[in-house]
Amino acid sequence: MENKKIPGSEAVILSLIEENVDIIFGYPGGAMIPIYDSLYDYNDKIRHILTRHEQGLVHAADGYARVTGKPGVCFATSGPGATNLVTGIANAMLDSIPMVCFTGQVGSPLLGTDAFQESDLIGITMPITKWSYQITKAEEVPEAVAKAFYIAQTGRPGPVLIDITKDAQMGMLDWKYEKCTKIRSYVPEAPVDILKIEEAANIIDKAKKPLLLLGQGVIIGRAENELREFIEKTGVPAAWTLLGLSALPTEHPLNVGMLGMHGNYGPNLLTNEADVIIAVGMRFDDRVTGKVSSYAKKAKIIHLEIDPSEINKIVKADVAVIGNSKKSLQLLTDKVKENSHDEWIKEFKKCDDIEYKKVIEKDIHPTKPGLTMGEIVRMASEKTNHEAILVSDVGQHQMINARYFKFKHTRSHVSSGGLGTMGFGLPASMGAQMGMPDRTVFSVSGDGGFQMTIQELGTIEQNKLPIKIIVLNNNFLGMVRQWQQLFFEKRYSFTKLHNPNFIMIAKGYGIEGNKVDKREDLDAAMQKMIDHDGPYVLEVTIEKEDNVFPMVPAGASVSDVMLEP
């Protein structure tokens, strides 16, 4: 198709085909009509999903990217359509999710005139994208799109935005496409320094109480096998961050659980006993470190990270290995000696026993009449043999999901980490289901977050997506209420919700559903949802004061982890 004259709008679609895009999540509008008109002739090659709100489409693109590793692609029109993407773009930026967003824009002669539905998308999104670019001429389209895909998925991934004026969409160009393989001054991945590898290996070989902290960088770098080879050779126990979940099977004998504010007792408490911390593809988020001045003071820090800006940003590294986690771990595994740390691992098991008696048993085998989040989430995991993809919204249930759902396969956990975006779960599950259509996908939300994007039930029904939607309803904004209970003398200031009939709403969209408020009905209701051929909403009434423990209070040391109020 070289040297063929085509409009800029068609060049956008052909560029996406060249980049092997198979799904676009979008919402049309006046400034995008030329692109949508061109898409009409290629709907046999690219599937377009019409969401009910722009926030839904950008979170759906995010969910798709997380389970496939491919960039999520989305379309929105100018003005309010484009600004409705901002939360989802910020979410993707903080969580390092590859995404390419296209927005329509008023014609270039009108730029800067406050024309109808004009907004300065480049100015708005510059701080929350890896790259933002405005196309004002049709001939810019192929190169800009190629560059966008290269930037989005190389190095530390992230979202990019291309804003296209209407006259650029309608202008003509000679069609030719070349994929981008290099950009001057952009170095996505530095070569690994073998001297740093040797220095790190020497420290690891001498360690008595090493602990590996694995983050999403392991998943992004497709380094899951290399991680297993490293820990199995060295005998180093590994703990995962919220976004590192599923990179290592839950039941792996060296997996000691989750880090962070609501993580497991052992990895939090024993962080301050470790003599070496090996951080792989994680950024020492405040939810992991707690009070930084008292974090891991006995440990030498080895940090394997692709993004140099994360080194020494929060926790000072004794040895920093810059580079892709897959390559770094391969080199490090070759250099370290075979070892085991049986006595050290027993310390984690002792902590596990304490946590089970004080927290876990009450969560998954409660004696109180009210249903708990833990028993519901664990049942969903067990009924799908821990094979399902879990998409979580944000709140108490998000932490419960991470604690009690089990994983056998990588890229099986989708959750908003850095931004903590309520309303993320339902639309992200759409992208996850489309990215992995042969796997069971659970969307688990609280009653608050569910209502933020509830309209996407329409998208789910229209596209017949067999998502299993669980709404955990305590008629409260649960996480805020927990803090009010524990730290603000139960002064529940504006956290109580008067909720609608969720099942009636689901049925209004043509989706089957059921509500459960008794333990004896839960098993059958859960099974009915899983067996149902199509989407299904299961609302479960839970205890109002069903809290999430363990908990590291804000500003406290990780060793001050609370097991009970």
Side-chain angles (χ1 to χ4, degrees):
M1 295 188 68
E2 290 189 13
N3 300 321
K4 175 186 175 184
K5 281 275 188 184
I6 61 171
S9 58
E10 186 177 3
V12 170
I13 306 304
L14 291 176
S15 298
L16 295 179
I17 292 170
E18 290 285 341
E19 293 291 344
N20 300 312
V21 173
D22 54 359
I23 294 178
I24 298 165
F25 301 92
Y27 203 102
M32 281 290 278
I33 287 177
I35 288 176
Y36 270 89
D37 186 65
S38 293
L39 181 59
Y40 190 86
D41 295 325
Y42 293 94
N43 60 15
D44 59 330
K45 294 185 178 179
I46 300 182
R47 184 181 181 187
H48 179 277
I49 303 300
L50 174 65
T51 61
R52 297 304 181 264
H53 190 281
E54 289 87 359
Q55 185 173 348
L57 68 87
V58 71
H59 289 329
D62 185 315
Y64 173 88
R66 293 190 200 230
V67 300
T68 64
K70 296 170 59 179
V73 177
C74 57
F75 284 178
T77 194
S78 64
T83 57
N84 280 342
L85 297 181
V86 169
T87 295
I89 293 172
N91 190 87
M93 185 67 175
L94 277 172
D95 286 357
S96 305
I97 305 303
M99 187 185 296
V100 181
C101 305
F102 293 85
T103 53
Q105 185 56 275
V106 301
S108 54
L110 295 173
L111 290 172
T113 69
D114 293 331
F116 177 67
Q117 291 195 333
E118 181 193 2
S119 57
D120 178 10
L121 254 289
I122 303 304
I124 291 170
T125 61
M126 196 174 293
I128 56 169
T129 55
K130 279 189 76 177
W131 184 57
S132 294
Y133 185 73
Q134 187 174 75
I135 295 175
T136 58
K137 296 179 181 178
E139 53 265 32
E140 295 179 88
V141 169
E143 183 180 357
V145 174
K147 190 180 290 187
F149 275 86
Y150 178 68
I151 292 171
Q153 57 193 321
T154 53
R156 181 178 181 173
V160 301
L161 180 131
I162 296 181
D163 193 45
I164 314 178
T165 62
K166 201 165 183 180
D167 52 325
Q169 297 174 44
M170 300 176 74
M172 303 299 287
L173 74 151
D174 291 323
W175 168 249
K176 184 179 181 182
Y177 193 83
E178 293 181 10
K179 286 195 175 185
C180 181
T181 57
K182 186 178 181 181
I183 299 172
R184 190 177 68 179
S185 79
Y186 171 57
V187 183
E189 186 180 314
V192 179
D193 185 341
I194 194 64
L195 294 178
K196 293 292 185 182
I197 291 288
E198 291 172 351
E199 191 178 347
N202 185 49
I203 292 171
I204 293 165
D205 287 342
K206 294 175 181 176
K208 302 298 182 187
K209 295 182 176 182
L211 176 61
L212 186 143
L213 315 181
L214 69 101
Q216 189 178 216
V218 173
I219 298 171
I220 291 169
R222 302 182 188 274
E224 295 91 345
N225 289 337
E226 288 74 14
L227 173 76
R228 289 181 69 163
E229 289 170 7
F230 173 79
I231 62 173
E232 287 168 5
K233 181 176 181 179
T234 60
V236 174
W240 50 25
T241 67
L242 179 67
L243 294 186
L245 283 168
S246 82
L248 186 68
T250 306
E251 299 295 347
H252 192 285
L254 290 170
N255 186 341
V256 294
M258 185 171 75
L259 298 157
M261 179 173 279
H262 293 288
N264 293 108
Y265 186 51
N268 275 325
L269 185 72
L270 297 176
T271 289
N272 284 352
E273 296 299 318
D275 59 359
V276 174
I277 296 285
I278 309 157
V280 184
M282 57 86 71
R283 57 190 181 88
F284 291 106
D285 179 78
D286 60 283
R287 284 300 195 260
V288 166
T289 63
K291 187 178 179 181
V292 177
S293 62
S294 60
Y295 179 78
K297 287 302 169 187
K298 297 180 181 179
K300 289 187 175 181
I301 306 293
I302 298 169
H303 197 173
L304 278 60
E305 172 61 50
I306 198 166
D307 184 355
S309 72
E310 294 295 346
I311 301 298
N312 300 328
K313 187 171 84 175
I314 296 171
V315 173
K316 188 178 184 305
D318 293 278
V319 180
V321 180
I322 309 296
N324 179 286
S325 59
K326 189 178 186 75
K327 295 176 185 176
S328 299
L329 282 169
Q330 281 177 332
L331 292 167
L332 191 56
T333 302
D334 289 342
K335 292 291 181 182
V336 293
K337 297 175 183 176
E338 285 193 33
N339 206 342
S340 62
H341 295 280
D342 296 340
E343 291 304 311
W344 172 231
I345 288 169
K346 284 178 184 177
E347 296 299 310
F348 289 91
K349 301 209 178 293
K350 289 177 186 175
C351 291
D352 289 345
D353 291 342
I354 294 168
E355 184 179 350
Y356 187 85
K357 290 173 184 174
K358 290 200 169 188
V359 179
I360 297 173
E361 189 169 32
K362 296 173 186 176
D363 280 349
I364 63 175
H365 300 298
T367 55
K368 295 189 289 187
L371 286 157
T372 67
M373 294 178 284
E375 64 181 314
I376 298 159
V377 170
R378 177 57 63 86
M379 183 182 288
S381 184
E382 289 176 346
K383 281 189 172 292
T384 49
N385 195 30
H386 315 304
E387 299 274 358
I389 292 173
L390 171 67
V391 184
S392 180
D393 209 274
V394 169
Q396 283 181 310
H397 67 280
Q398 177 187 28
M399 299 296 104
I400 290 290
N401 290 345
R403 288 176 53 76
Y404 295 123
F405 208 88
K406 294 185 178 181
F407 304 98
K408 288 184 178 179
H409 310 290
T410 190
R411 296 189 182 273
S412 294
H413 177 251
V414 176
S415 188
S416 169
L419 199 63
T421 307
M422 288 179 69
F424 172 82
L426 190 64
S429 71
M430 302 188 307
Q433 185 72 73
M434 290 177 202
M436 290 291 169
D438 296 329
R439 293 184 65 187
T440 298
V441 173
F442 284 108
S443 170
V444 182
S445 298
D447 45 320
F450 184 58
Q451 292 180 82
M452 288 193 171
T453 48
I454 195 170
Q455 69 276 0
E456 297 308 332
L457 290 173
T459 309
I460 290 168
E461 192 283 326
Q462 182 172 347
N463 293 281
K464 310 302 179 191
L465 303 176
I467 301 165
K468 309 308 175 187
I469 302 160
I470 300 175
V471 182
L472 300 176
N473 186 0
N474 60 3
N475 292 105
F476 267 95
L477 299 175
M479 186 62 86
V480 181
R481 186 215 51 76
Q482 177 169 335
W483 281 57
Q484 289 173 334
Q485 177 188 347
L486 297 177
F487 308 116
F488 291 88
E489 300 176 338
K490 295 191 176 183
R491 290 160 58 88
Y492 297 147
S493 180
F494 301 102
T495 46
K496 184 173 177 60
L497 292 170
H498 291 267
N499 290 321
N501 186 324
F502 292 126
I503 304 307
M504 189 177 290
I505 290 173
K507 290 183 176 179
Y509 278 105
I511 295 175
E512 287 299 310
N514 188 21
K515 182 175 181 178
V516 172
D517 52 22
K518 294 180 181 177
R519 183 165 290 112
E520 57 265 31
D521 299 329
L522 180 62
D523 188 284
M526 183 78 72
Q527 193 63 52
K528 183 178 179 181
M529 174 183 67
I530 292 168
D531 293 341
H532 182 74
D533 184 17
Y536 195 98
V537 175
L538 178 63
E539 177 190 354
V540 187
T541 303
I542 58 171
E543 285 274 1
K544 180 182 76 173
E545 293 185 347
D546 182 13
N547 290 328
V548 188
F549 287 98
M551 180 178 185
V552 179
S557 167
V558 289
S559 55
D560 294 329
V561 55
M562 298 165 54
L563 291 173
E564 52 196 2

mmCIF file of all heavy atoms in Angstrom, residues 165-196:
data_model
loop_
_atom_site.group_PDB
_atom_site.id
_atom_site.type_symbol
_atom_site.label_atom_id
_atom_site.label_comp_id
_atom_site.label_asym_id
_atom_site.label_seq_id
_atom_site.Cartn_x
_atom_site.Cartn_y
_atom_site.Cartn_z
ATOM 1 N N THR A 165 -5.788 16.861 15.296
ATOM 2 C CA THR A 165 -6.747 17.887 14.871
ATOM 3 C C THR A 165 -7.627 17.340 13.745
ATOM 4 O O THR A 165 -7.231 16.431 13.000
ATOM 5 C CB THR A 165 -6.028 19.158 14.391
ATOM 6 O OG1 THR A 165 -5.212 18.834 13.258
ATOM 7 C CG2 THR A 165 -5.173 19.755 15.487
ATOM 8 N N LYS A 166 -8.796 17.921 13.637
ATOM 9 C CA LYS A 166 -9.758 17.419 12.657
ATOM 10 C C LYS A 166 -9.249 17.593 11.230
ATOM 11 O O LYS A 166 -9.451 16.724 10.373
ATOM 12 C CB LYS A 166 -11.101 18.115 12.843
ATOM 13 C CG LYS A 166 -12.268 17.332 12.252
ATOM 14 C CD LYS A 166 -13.601 17.845 12.766
ATOM 15 C CE LYS A 166 -14.738 16.994 12.224
ATOM 16 N NZ LYS A 166 -16.061 17.460 12.717
ATOM 17 N N ASP A 167 -8.557 18.716 10.953
ATOM 18 C CA ASP A 167 -8.039 18.907 9.594
ATOM 19 C C ASP A 167 -6.913 17.927 9.277
ATOM 20 O O ASP A 167 -6.753 17.520 8.115
ATOM 21 C CB ASP A 167 -7.592 20.356 9.369
ATOM 22 C CG ASP A 167 -6.637 20.870 10.432
ATOM 23 O OD1 ASP A 167 -6.799 20.484 11.604
ATOM 24 O OD2 ASP A 167 -5.741 21.661 10.108
ATOM 25 N N ALA A 168 -6.153 17.482 10.290
ATOM 26 C CA ALA A 168 -5.128 16.454 10.060
ATOM 27 C C ALA A 168 -5.778 15.110 9.728
ATOM 28 O O ALA A 168 -5.227 14.326 8.957
ATOM 29 C CB ALA A 168 -4.225 16.317 11.278
ATOM 30 N N GLN A 169 -6.930 14.847 10.310
ATOM 31 C CA GLN A 169 -7.650 13.614 10.003
ATOM 32 C C GLN A 169 -8.170 13.617 8.565
ATOM 33 O O GLN A 169 -8.240 12.579 7.907
ATOM 34 C CB GLN A 169 -8.824 13.440 10.957
ATOM 35 C CG GLN A 169 -8.448 13.274 12.414
ATOM 36 C CD GLN A 169 -9.659 13.241 13.329
ATOM 37 O OE1 GLN A 169 -10.653 12.576 13.040
ATOM 38 N NE2 GLN A 169 -9.593 13.968 14.438
ATOM 39 N N MET A 170 -8.536 14.788 8.068
ATOM 40 C CA MET A 170 -9.163 14.880 6.752
ATOM 41 C C MET A 170 -8.163 15.177 5.637
ATOM 42 O O MET A 170 -8.452 14.979 4.459
ATOM 43 C CB MET A 170 -10.244 15.954 6.780
ATOM 44 C CG MET A 170 -11.332 15.645 7.802
ATOM 45 S SD MET A 170 -12.589 16.928 7.976
ATOM 46 C CE MET A 170 -13.525 16.687 6.484
ATOM 47 N N GLY A 171 -6.977 15.648 5.981
ATOM 48 C CA GLY A 171 -5.946 15.915 4.982
ATOM 49 C C GLY A 171 -5.417 14.629 4.362
ATOM 50 O O GLY A 171 -5.548 13.539 4.919
ATOM 51 N N MET A 172 -4.767 14.723 3.197
ATOM 52 C CA MET A 172 -4.271 13.561 2.457
ATOM 53 C C MET A 172 -2.757 13.406 2.633
ATOM 54 O O MET A 172 -2.025 14.375 2.846
ATOM 55 C CB MET A 172 -4.611 13.706 0.975
ATOM 56 C CG MET A 172 -6.095 13.892 0.678
ATOM 57 S SD MET A 172 -7.142 12.504 1.217
ATOM 58 C CE MET A 172 -6.689 11.284 -0.032
ATOM 59 N N LEU A 173 -2.306 12.165 2.530
ATOM 60 C CA LEU A 173 -0.873 11.879 2.615
ATOM 61 C C LEU A 173 -0.534 10.681 1.752
ATOM 62 O O LEU A 173 -1.413 9.872 1.406
ATOM 63 C CB LEU A 173 -0.443 11.611 4.057
ATOM 64 C CG LEU A 173 -0.853 10.259 4.687
ATOM 65 C CD1 LEU A 173 0.167 9.851 5.738
ATOM 66 C CD2 LEU A 173 -2.237 10.318 5.292
ATOM 67 N N ASP A 174 0.733 10.546 1.400
ATOM 68 C CA ASP A 174 1.222 9.342 0.730
ATOM 69 C C ASP A 174 1.469 8.287 1.803
ATOM 70 O O ASP A 174 2.307 8.476 2.690
ATOM 71 C CB ASP A 174 2.529 9.633 -0.019
ATOM 72 C CG ASP A 174 2.313 10.539 -1.214
ATOM 73 O OD1 ASP A 174 1.272 10.395 -1.883
ATOM 74 O OD2 ASP A 174 3.174 11.413 -1.448
ATOM 75 N N TRP A 175 0.740 7.169 1.722
ATOM 76 C CA TRP A 175 0.794 6.170 2.787
ATOM 77 C C TRP A 175 2.076 5.339 2.740
ATOM 78 O O TRP A 175 2.418 4.731 1.730
ATOM 79 C CB TRP A 175 -0.408 5.235 2.720
ATOM 80 C CG TRP A 175 -0.267 4.020 3.590
ATOM 81 C CD1 TRP A 175 -0.112 2.729 3.194
ATOM 82 C CD2 TRP A 175 -0.223 3.998 5.024
ATOM 83 N NE1 TRP A 175 0.017 1.907 4.278
ATOM 84 C CE2 TRP A 175 -0.042 2.661 5.416
ATOM 85 C CE3 TRP A 175 -0.314 4.987 6.001
ATOM 86 C CZ2 TRP A 175 0.041 2.283 6.755
ATOM 87 C CZ3 TRP A 175 -0.224 4.605 7.337
ATOM 88 C CH2 TRP A 175 -0.052 3.272 7.693
ATOM 89 N N LYS A 176 2.783 5.330 3.836
ATOM 90 C CA LYS A 176 3.935 4.460 4.047
ATOM 91 C C LYS A 176 4.145 4.328 5.544
ATOM 92 O O LYS A 176 4.067 5.317 6.271
ATOM 93 C CB LYS A 176 5.190 5.039 3.393
ATOM 94 C CG LYS A 176 6.410 4.125 3.502
ATOM 95 C CD LYS A 176 7.618 4.743 2.826
ATOM 96 C CE LYS A 176 8.814 3.810 2.925
ATOM 97 N NZ LYS A 176 10.033 4.394 2.304
ATOM 98 N N TYR A 177 4.404 3.105 6.009
ATOM 99 C CA TYR A 177 4.550 2.909 7.453
ATOM 100 C C TYR A 177 5.836 2.159 7.757
ATOM 101 O O TYR A 177 6.142 1.125 7.153
ATOM 102 C CB TYR A 177 3.369 2.111 8.023
ATOM 103 C CG TYR A 177 3.305 2.151 9.544
ATOM 104 C CD1 TYR A 177 2.707 3.230 10.190
ATOM 105 C CD2 TYR A 177 3.844 1.140 10.317
ATOM 106 C CE1 TYR A 177 2.648 3.295 11.572
ATOM 107 C CE2 TYR A 177 3.793 1.197 11.714
ATOM 108 C CZ TYR A 177 3.188 2.271 12.326
ATOM 109 O OH TYR A 177 3.121 2.337 13.704
ATOM 110 N N GLU A 178 6.579 2.681 8.693
ATOM 111 C CA GLU A 178 7.773 2.006 9.194
ATOM 112 C C GLU A 178 7.706 1.970 10.714
ATOM 113 O O GLU A 178 7.536 3.015 11.347
ATOM 114 C CB GLU A 178 9.044 2.747 8.751
ATOM 115 C CG GLU A 178 9.312 2.705 7.267
ATOM 116 C CD GLU A 178 10.599 3.429 6.896
ATOM 117 O OE1 GLU A 178 11.354 3.788 7.830
ATOM 118 O OE2 GLU A 178 10.830 3.628 5.697
ATOM 119 N N LYS A 179 7.860 0.787 11.271
ATOM 120 C CA LYS A 179 7.845 0.676 12.731
ATOM 121 C C LYS A 179 9.055 1.384 13.319
ATOM 122 O O LYS A 179 10.145 1.392 12.736
ATOM 123 C CB LYS A 179 7.833 -0.791 13.167
ATOM 124 C CG LYS A 179 6.496 -1.473 12.945
ATOM 125 C CD LYS A 179 6.413 -2.773 13.713
ATOM 126 C CE LYS A 179 5.023 -3.392 13.571
ATOM 127 N NZ LYS A 179 4.870 -4.594 14.413
ATOM 128 N N CYS A 180 8.852 1.971 14.471
ATOM 129 C CA CYS A 180 9.922 2.685 15.157
ATOM 130 C C CYS A 180 10.758 1.707 15.970
ATOM 131 O O CYS A 180 10.210 0.874 16.712
ATOM 132 C CB CYS A 180 9.328 3.758 16.067
ATOM 133 S SG CYS A 180 10.551 4.728 16.957
ATOM 134 N N THR A 181 12.055 1.779 15.825
ATOM 135 C CA THR A 181 12.948 0.907 16.600
ATOM 136 C C THR A 181 13.980 1.695 17.409
ATOM 137 O O THR A 181 14.718 1.115 18.203
ATOM 138 C CB THR A 181 13.692 -0.068 15.671
ATOM 139 O OG1 THR A 181 14.419 0.688 14.686
ATOM 140 C CG2 THR A 181 12.707 -1.005 14.961
ATOM 141 N N LYS A 182 14.017 3.017 17.207
ATOM 142 C CA LYS A 182 15.005 3.819 17.917
ATOM 143 C C LYS A 182 14.605 5.286 17.882
ATOM 144 O O LYS A 182 14.083 5.767 16.882
ATOM 145 C CB LYS A 182 16.387 3.647 17.267
ATOM 146 C CG LYS A 182 17.519 4.331 18.008
ATOM 147 C CD LYS A 182 18.849 4.056 17.325
ATOM 148 C CE LYS A 182 20.002 4.717 18.058
ATOM 149 N NZ LYS A 182 21.313 4.484 17.392
ATOM 150 N N ILE A 183 14.814 5.975 18.987
ATOM 151 C CA ILE A 183 14.582 7.419 19.061
ATOM 152 C C ILE A 183 15.825 8.050 19.673
ATOM 153 O O ILE A 183 16.282 7.628 20.752
ATOM 154 C CB ILE A 183 13.341 7.757 19.912
ATOM 155 C CG1 ILE A 183 12.080 7.140 19.295
ATOM 156 C CG2 ILE A 183 13.177 9.267 20.055
ATOM 157 C CD1 ILE A 183 10.849 7.261 20.172
ATOM 158 N N ARG A 184 16.361 9.036 18.992
ATOM 159 C CA ARG A 184 17.562 9.700 19.494
ATOM 160 C C ARG A 184 17.317 10.284 20.888
ATOM 161 O O ARG A 184 16.277 10.889 21.134
ATOM 162 C CB ARG A 184 17.977 10.819 18.533
ATOM 163 C CG ARG A 184 19.344 11.402 18.833
ATOM 164 C CD ARG A 184 19.727 12.450 17.797
ATOM 165 N NE ARG A 184 18.861 13.635 17.908
ATOM 166 C CZ ARG A 184 18.991 14.699 17.133
ATOM 167 N NH1 ARG A 184 19.904 14.717 16.180
ATOM 168 N NH2 ARG A 184 18.193 15.730 17.296
ATOM 169 N N SER A 185 18.211 10.064 21.781
ATOM 170 C CA SER A 185 18.208 10.543 23.174
ATOM 171 C C SER A 185 17.286 9.746 24.096
ATOM 172 O O SER A 185 17.271 9.979 25.295
ATOM 173 C CB SER A 185 17.868 12.037 23.262
ATOM 174 O OG SER A 185 16.472 12.255 23.150
ATOM 175 N N TYR A 186 16.514 8.806 23.536
ATOM 176 C CA TYR A 186 15.662 7.951 24.379
ATOM 177 C C TYR A 186 16.335 6.591 24.508
ATOM 178 O O TYR A 186 16.471 5.846 23.530
ATOM 179 C CB TYR A 186 14.276 7.819 23.757
ATOM 180 C CG TYR A 186 13.371 6.799 24.415
ATOM 181 C CD1 TYR A 186 13.063 6.865 25.773
ATOM 182 C CD2 TYR A 186 12.809 5.764 23.676
ATOM 183 C CE1 TYR A 186 12.229 5.936 26.373
ATOM 184 C CE2 TYR A 186 11.969 4.830 24.263
ATOM 185 C CZ TYR A 186 11.679 4.913 25.602
ATOM 186 O OH TYR A 186 10.851 3.977 26.190
ATOM 187 N N VAL A 187 16.778 6.278 25.725
ATOM 188 C CA VAL A 187 17.430 4.993 25.992
ATOM 189 C C VAL A 187 16.516 4.195 26.923
ATOM 190 O O VAL A 187 16.548 4.370 28.142
ATOM 191 C CB VAL A 187 18.814 5.189 26.647
ATOM 192 C CG1 VAL A 187 19.499 3.835 26.856
ATOM 193 C CG2 VAL A 187 19.677 6.101 25.792
ATOM 194 N N PRO A 188 15.672 3.352 26.351
ATOM 195 C CA PRO A 188 14.676 2.662 27.183
ATOM 196 C C PRO A 188 15.268 1.653 28.162
ATOM 197 O O PRO A 188 14.674 1.370 29.194
ATOM 198 C CB PRO A 188 13.777 1.971 26.160
ATOM 199 C CG PRO A 188 14.603 1.836 24.929
ATOM 200 C CD PRO A 188 15.526 3.006 24.923
ATOM 201 N N GLU A 189 16.436 1.127 27.819
ATOM 202 C CA GLU A 189 16.979 0.048 28.642
ATOM 203 C C GLU A 189 18.501 0.082 28.612
ATOM 204 O O GLU A 189 19.111 -0.064 27.556
ATOM 205 C CB GLU A 189 16.464 -1.283 28.092
ATOM 206 C CG GLU A 189 16.804 -2.497 28.887
ATOM 207 C CD GLU A 189 16.227 -3.745 28.225
ATOM 208 O OE1 GLU A 189 15.048 -3.714 27.819
ATOM 209 O OE2 GLU A 189 16.965 -4.726 28.121
ATOM 210 N N ALA A 190 19.115 0.284 29.749
ATOM 211 C CA ALA A 190 20.573 0.331 29.813
ATOM 212 C C ALA A 190 21.143 -1.086 29.848
ATOM 213 O O ALA A 190 20.506 -2.015 30.357
ATOM 214 C CB ALA A 190 21.008 1.083 31.068
ATOM 215 N N PRO A 191 22.341 -1.279 29.312
ATOM 216 C CA PRO A 191 22.983 -2.603 29.446
ATOM 217 C C PRO A 191 23.319 -2.873 30.904
ATOM 218 O O PRO A 191 23.671 -1.959 31.653
ATOM 219 C CB PRO A 191 24.247 -2.451 28.590
ATOM 220 C CG PRO A 191 24.504 -0.980 28.508
ATOM 221 C CD PRO A 191 23.170 -0.318 28.570
ATOM 222 N N VAL A 192 23.192 -4.115 31.293
ATOM 223 C CA VAL A 192 23.436 -4.484 32.686
ATOM 224 C C VAL A 192 24.940 -4.472 32.972
ATOM 225 O O VAL A 192 25.736 -5.025 32.216
ATOM 226 C CB VAL A 192 22.844 -5.874 32.998
ATOM 227 C CG1 VAL A 192 23.117 -6.257 34.454
ATOM 228 C CG2 VAL A 192 21.349 -5.899 32.714
ATOM 229 N N ASP A 193 25.310 -3.840 34.076
ATOM 230 C CA ASP A 193 26.713 -3.728 34.491
ATOM 231 C C ASP A 193 27.114 -5.013 35.216
ATOM 232 O O ASP A 193 26.636 -5.286 36.328
ATOM 233 C CB ASP A 193 26.867 -2.511 35.411
ATOM 234 C CG ASP A 193 28.316 -2.244 35.795
ATOM 235 O OD1 ASP A 193 29.159 -3.158 35.675
ATOM 236 O OD2 ASP A 193 28.600 -1.122 36.254
ATOM 237 N N ILE A 194 27.973 -5.807 34.587
ATOM 238 C CA ILE A 194 28.348 -7.097 35.166
ATOM 239 C C ILE A 194 29.092 -6.939 36.484
ATOM 240 O O ILE A 194 29.014 -7.808 37.373
ATOM 241 C CB ILE A 194 29.180 -7.925 34.157
ATOM 242 C CG1 ILE A 194 29.272 -9.389 34.601
ATOM 243 C CG2 ILE A 194 30.539 -7.302 33.944
ATOM 244 C CD1 ILE A 194 27.957 -10.110 34.623
ATOM 245 N N LEU A 195 29.792 -5.815 36.677
ATOM 246 C CA LEU A 195 30.481 -5.587 37.947
ATOM 247 C C LEU A 195 29.475 -5.413 39.086
ATOM 248 O O LEU A 195 29.709 -5.869 40.212
ATOM 249 C CB LEU A 195 31.390 -4.360 37.842
ATOM 250 C CG LEU A 195 32.580 -4.486 36.883
ATOM 251 C CD1 LEU A 195 33.367 -3.178 36.841
ATOM 252 C CD2 LEU A 195 33.495 -5.638 37.303
ATOM 253 N N LYS A 196 28.343 -4.769 38.792
ATOM 254 C CA LYS A 196 27.291 -4.624 39.800
ATOM 255 C C LYS A 196 26.663 -5.984 40.105
ATOM 256 O O LYS A 196 26.304 -6.268 41.255
ATOM 257 C CB LYS A 196 26.214 -3.653 39.309
ATOM 258 C CG LYS A 196 26.699 -2.211 39.168
ATOM 259 C CD LYS A 196 27.019 -1.595 40.518
ATOM 260 C CE LYS A 196 27.394 -0.129 40.396
ATOM 261 N NZ LYS A 196 27.763 0.463 41.699
#
